[in-house]
Amino acid sequence: MGFLLSKSMDQSLQKQQEFMLISGRMQLERQILMQIAWSREFLKYFSSFFGLTALGLTVGAVRRRRAVLLAPVVPLGFILAYQMDAAYGSLTHRMRAEAESIMVSESERLDLPHGTPTFESIEKSRRSRAHLTSLLEK
């Protein structure tokens, strides 16, 4: 009887883990899509700002015959190019490839300071906190 119950619980746990994996993946995909959508929306506003600023600075530089007024167009152009790459280019794919490369070749950078928590370490910490609270209540 216990074996059947254990087998049923194992199957249930496995199904729950699969569901958590699928839902985590879906959440990550939605976050990526929202980031791309945000980048495209931001690009609309920033490109309008850039166009008006570049036009105004160009007119001012021509009227006053001072080329230095065009200097802000250069960094703003880099920001515009970055936003265009994020919104419509391959920035997301390059970032994902770089993240995978880091995970493969530099995995030690991803380690937690005291290692990955285990069930035993979490339970030990929980028990010690419960013991301390019971002592403090007395």
Side-chain angles (χ1 to χ4, degrees):
M1 180 76 177
F3 176 73
L4 292 176
L5 184 61
S6 175
K7 188 175 181 181
S8 170
M9 288 178 63
D10 286 344
Q11 289 174 347
S12 176
L13 180 63
Q14 186 177 7
K15 286 181 184 178
Q16 185 178 8
Q17 287 174 339
E18 289 173 7
F19 173 76
M20 289 174 62
L21 181 66
I22 291 169
S23 64
R25 184 173 290 147
M26 285 177 52
Q27 183 180 8
L28 182 61
E29 289 172 357
R30 288 178 182 155
Q31 287 175 348
I32 291 170
L33 289 174
M34 285 300 292
Q35 181 65 37
I36 293 171
W38 182 89
S39 294
R40 289 182 180 183
E41 190 64 26
F42 181 79
L43 181 63
K44 292 175 189 175
Y45 289 98
F46 188 78
S47 60
S48 298
F49 167 76
F50 177 79
L52 290 173
T53 303
L55 180 66
L57 289 172
T58 304
V59 169
V62 169
R63 283 189 180 174
R64 296 183 185 198
R65 294 186 178 136
R66 295 183 70 199
V68 74
L69 291 175
L70 294 174
V73 173
V74 174
L76 291 175
F78 279 106
I79 295 171
L80 180 66
Y82 175 81
Q83 288 300 324
M84 289 176 63
D85 190 25
Y88 295 102
S90 61
L91 178 66
T92 306
H93 297 293
R94 291 193 316 268
M95 287 172 56
R96 185 180 301 153
E98 184 64 26
E100 289 173 355
S101 171
I102 291 170
M103 290 170 67
V104 169
S105 63
E106 303 174 40
S107 61
E108 69 278 354
R109 291 180 179 254
L110 304 175
D111 292 340
L112 296 173
H114 293 289
T116 305
T118 62
F119 178 76
E120 291 80 20
S121 66
I122 293 170
E123 280 297 304
K124 183 179 177 183
S125 174
R126 185 187 64 78
R127 286 183 189 133
S128 67
R129 286 186 190 151
H131 179 68
L132 287 175
T133 24
S134 67
L135 288 176
L136 293 174
E137 290 175 355
K138 291 181 182 179

